[in-house]
């Protein structure tokens, strides 16, 4: 038994593929996919279906436990399995693609709506059928999804008409209704009951037909291993987004302070992991470009202050790119808006901090070279006749003065002439 639990994504596909390989190696007689999903990414779903269709072992899709669902991508997955079963109190359907912006494509107008009435009147007046809903791109996506699920229905001898309605109209079915309409083959309230009903059934594989013998078979539950769990964590859009920001800012901090340091190591590692995760997710390269441009503008503000123009432009660009980064409308694969706002505020705060430090540095007294010694107080540390030396920042400097100096006397440096400090006796206000 392999669990397909939660939103279908790269981690789910990886877990199922490697679990199937282990089942083949172990010479299992049957694989059960226990499905409970609200849907997921088209790319991951199609990868899983390819594995199912090429499997040398019979695969049973089982929507379980009661209260579970095989919605959207889960419906396609169930249609692809050799046998489909559901537990009482479960449902499937609502398979309309939602990758495009602006809502679900291809959904018809609701009866009684103004658009529906207008379309009907227009069709009656012209004597023509109403045009299919949605623009050309939306119709392409919907028609492709319809053809795909119909091909799976034909392959498994299931109800293709209802499958098309699930895509075009977003309809759903309960377990018993699905059984009555030929969408699934079995309704089972438990795994044991499912195995009992499967015993003796004929299943057509790619190159042969097999008769299932499940009576008394031992069930092996394939757990999610550390690799799949790690993949599930890093392919979470919020985690991938955070890793991307940590990587970029870590490298920026390292560039501010050259040398192999903690910021550079953490930044490089985070950026590599983020890139690995993002290449598995449906990202918008325009969004990624805007994020990088926004960070570049905010960084440039710190180096070449433009009275906030580049900084504010960078913050707006960064925010826009972050919102656009995930190229999908699936809630499970969207970056949380509070996360985007928090990182934008952090970026602005980092920019303000960098600018404040820059302003302070510009107004700070010079601390390098001999110029910073001018105006400082020194103590006469040695007197030898007409010559005198003073202690200046821990060093003895030869001095030149218009008036004689005495040991331990306080003097002020007025100029530096080579290796000689020109000093004068301080006035009363200098003390």
């Amino acid at each position: 038994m392999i669990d397909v639990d939660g939103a279908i994504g790269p981690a789910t596909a990886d877990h199922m593929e490697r679990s199937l390989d282990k089942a083949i190696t172990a010479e299992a007689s049957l694989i059960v996919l226990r499905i409970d999903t609200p849907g997921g990414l088209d790319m991951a779903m199609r990868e899983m279906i390819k594995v199912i269709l090429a499997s040398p072992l019979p695969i049973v899709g089982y929507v379980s436990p009661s209260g579970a669902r095989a919605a959207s991508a889960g419906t396609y997955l169930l249609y692809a399995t050799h046998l489909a079963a559901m537990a009482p109190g479960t449902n499937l359907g609502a398979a309309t693609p939602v990758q495009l912006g602006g809502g679900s494509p291809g959904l018809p107008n609701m009866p009684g709506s103004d658009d529906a009435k207008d379309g009907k009147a227009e069709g009656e007046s012209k004597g023509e059928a109403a045009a299919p809903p949605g623009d050309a791109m939306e119709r392409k996506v919907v028609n492709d999804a319809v053809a795909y699920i119909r091909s799976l229905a034909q392959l498994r001898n299931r109800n293709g008409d209802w499958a098309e309605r699930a895509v075009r109209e977003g309809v759903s079915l309960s377990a018993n209704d699905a059984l009555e309409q030929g969408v699934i083959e079995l309704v089972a309230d438990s795994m044991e009951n499912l195995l009992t009903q499967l015993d003796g059934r004929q299943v057509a594989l790619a190159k042969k037909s097999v008769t299932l013998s499940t009576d008394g078979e031992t069930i092996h539950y394939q757990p999610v291993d550390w690799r799949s769990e790690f993949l599930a964590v890093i392919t979470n859009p919020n985690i991938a987004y955070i890793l991307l920001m940590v990587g970029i800012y870590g490298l920026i901090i390292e560039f501010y302070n050259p040398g192999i340091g903690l910021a550079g190591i953490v930044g490089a590692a985070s950026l590599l992991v983020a890139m690995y995760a993002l290449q598995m997710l449906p990202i918008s390269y325009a969004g990624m470009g805007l994020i990088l441009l926004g960070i570049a503008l905010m960084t440039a503000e710190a180096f070449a202050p433009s009275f906030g123009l580049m900084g504010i432009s960078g913050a707006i660009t960064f925010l826009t790119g972050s919102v656009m980064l995930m190229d999908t409308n699936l809630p499970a694969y969207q970056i949380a808006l509070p996360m985007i706002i928090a990182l934008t505020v952090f970026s602005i705060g980092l920019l303000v901090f960098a600018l404040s430090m820059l302003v302070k540095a510009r107004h700070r007294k010079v601390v390098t070279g001999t110029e910073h010694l001018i105006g400082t107080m020194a103590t006469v540390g040695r007197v030898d006749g007409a010559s005198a030396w003073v202690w200046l920042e821990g060093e003895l400097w030869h001095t030149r003065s218009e008036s004689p100096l005495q040991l331990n006397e306080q003097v002020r440096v007025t100029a530096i002439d080579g290796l000689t400090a020109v000093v004068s006796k301080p006035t009363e206000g200098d003390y």
Side-chain angles (χ1 to χ4, degrees), residues 102-349:
S104 298
L107 292 180
N109 293 318
M110 295 299 292
S113 67
D114 293 338
D115 292 340
K117 291 177 182 178
D118 293 343
K120 182 178 179 182
E122 184 179 353
E124 289 176 350
S125 64
K126 295 183 179 179
E128 299 176 357
D135 58 24
M137 180 57 70
E138 291 175 341
R139 289 196 294 273
K140 284 182 180 181
V141 172
V142 172
N143 289 336
D144 177 69
V146 167
Y148 190 48
I149 200 167
R150 267 197 171 275
S151 68
L152 296 175
Q154 293 167 3
L155 182 65
R156 303 305 186 200
N157 296 317
R158 298 196 182 109
N159 190 333
D161 293 334
W162 181 87
E164 181 170 347
R165 289 187 61 214
V167 175
R168 293 194 184 278
E169 304 173 25
V171 297
S172 298
L173 279 180
S174 65
N176 291 329
D177 291 339
L179 182 63
E180 290 177 4
Q181 296 193 32
V183 174
I184 62 173
E185 286 79 31
L186 298 168
V187 173
D189 58 7
S190 65
M191 184 64 182
E192 290 73 19
N193 181 247
L194 175 64
L195 293 180
T196 300
Q197 296 187 55
L198 288 174
D199 192 47
R201 280 186 173 265
Q202 194 85 5
V203 175
L205 300 178
K207 296 182 180 180
K208 62 179 180 178
S209 294
V210 297
T211 301
L212 300 180
S213 178
T214 56
D215 186 27
E217 287 282 274
T218 301
I219 304 171
H220 172 74
Y221 295 90
Q222 181 61 38
V224 179
D225 59 15
W226 70 268
R227 185 180 186 275
S228 296
E229 288 181 346
F230 176 72
L231 193 61
V233 170
I234 65 171
T235 53
N236 181 307
N238 294 294
I239 301 299
Y241 180 63
I242 291 173
L243 288 172
L244 178 65
M245 295 300 102
V246 170
I248 293 174
Y249 283 121
L251 293 181
I252 290 175
I253 293 172
E254 183 66 25
F255 293 151
Y256 276 147
N257 299 275
I260 301 176
L262 180 62
I265 295 172
V266 173
S270 298
L271 194 59
L272 289 174
V273 174
M275 291 295 104
Y276 175 75
L278 290 174
Q279 61 92 21
M280 295 186 173
L281 295 171
I283 66 168
S284 166
Y285 291 102
M288 177 68 75
L290 287 172
I291 289 176
L292 296 177
L293 176 61
I295 293 175
L297 287 172
M298 289 187 286
T299 304
E301 179 72 36
F303 283 107
S306 60
F307 302 99
L309 179 61
M310 286 194 294
I312 295 173
S313 300
I316 295 173
T317 305
F318 177 85
L319 180 63
T320 305
S322 298
V323 173
M324 293 172 54
L325 184 60
M326 287 298 145
D327 190 20
T328 177
N329 283 339
L330 293 173
Y333 287 93
Q334 290 287 329
I335 300 175
L337 187 58
M339 178 76 68
I340 293 175
I341 294 174
L343 283 175
T344 303
V345 171
F346 170 78
S347 299
I348 295 174

Side-chain angles (χ1 to χ4, degrees), residues 358-370:
L358 185 62
V359 170
K360 288 181 180 179
R362 288 189 172 185
H363 290 86
R364 190 177 300 158
K365 188 177 178 180
V366 178
V367 293
T368 59
T370 57

